[in-house]
Amino acid sequence: QVQLVESGGGVVQAGGSLRLSCAASGRTFSTSVMGWFRQAPGKEREFVAGITWNTFRTYYADSVKGRFTISRDNAKNMVYLQMNSLKPEDTAVYYCAADPSARLVGTRGSAYDYWGQGTQVTVSS
């Protein structure tokens, strides 16, 4: 099992930056594909970024490519999402998710077995 707790959300002006953190506990974290998803009010949950556990290969949604960076520290059981050049359309609840059985990053939420409680990111114009 993997338990996930996100932090780092808040209110920021457009063009600003935030760094989200996801603290993980559980023996399988270091061999889990990790992903960040987001859900805005009235919209479906969408994939934001993901990272593999061994090669640290990263994947991004087109909407955040070049602005967001996902990283992980297996020694500290942490995953991060650095968000730069934030836009009002980035406003959403951001979730950290883990898939212990995958080798490649999946973009569907149904592929992930464990989820955090989410952290709110609000970008004002």
Side-chain angles (χ1 to χ4, degrees):
Q1 285 230 349
V2 179
Q3 292 80 44
L4 304 171
V5 179
E6 303 96 334
S7 62
V11 180
V12 63
Q13 287 189 333
S17 298
L18 280 176
R19 188 195 195 202
L20 304 184
S21 298
C22 175
S25 60
R27 293 186 301 171
T28 57
F29 167 79
S30 61
T31 56
S32 295
V33 165
M34 299 299 297
W36 285 96
F37 288 76
R38 67 186 182 187
Q39 187 167 20
K43 294 187 176 181
E44 293 188 352
R45 180 179 58 194
E46 64 175 353
F47 172 81
V48 175
I51 187 168
T52 60
W53 62 269
N54 51 352
T55 61
F56 288 19
R57 188 170 181 179
T58 57
Y59 297 83
Y60 297 94
D62 288 341
S63 58
V64 307
K65 204 170 292 183
R67 300 187 298 122
F68 290 12
T69 303
I70 187 172
S71 61
R72 68 189 294 165
D73 185 337
N74 285 348
K76 296 182 178 180
N77 279 14
M78 296 292 295
V79 179
Y80 306 99
L81 186 67
Q82 178 67 44
M83 305 185 295
N84 299 328
S85 302
L86 283 162
K87 305 175 181 180
E89 51 263 44
D90 294 319
T91 295
V93 177
Y94 283 71
Y95 298 91
C96 176
D99 181 357
S101 61
R103 293 186 297 112
L104 302 176
V105 170
T107 60
R108 295 182 302 166
S110 58
Y112 292 77
D113 298 315
Y114 303 102
W115 294 82
Q117 83 289 349
T119 185
Q120 176 71 47
V121 172
T122 302
V123 184
S124 61
S125 56

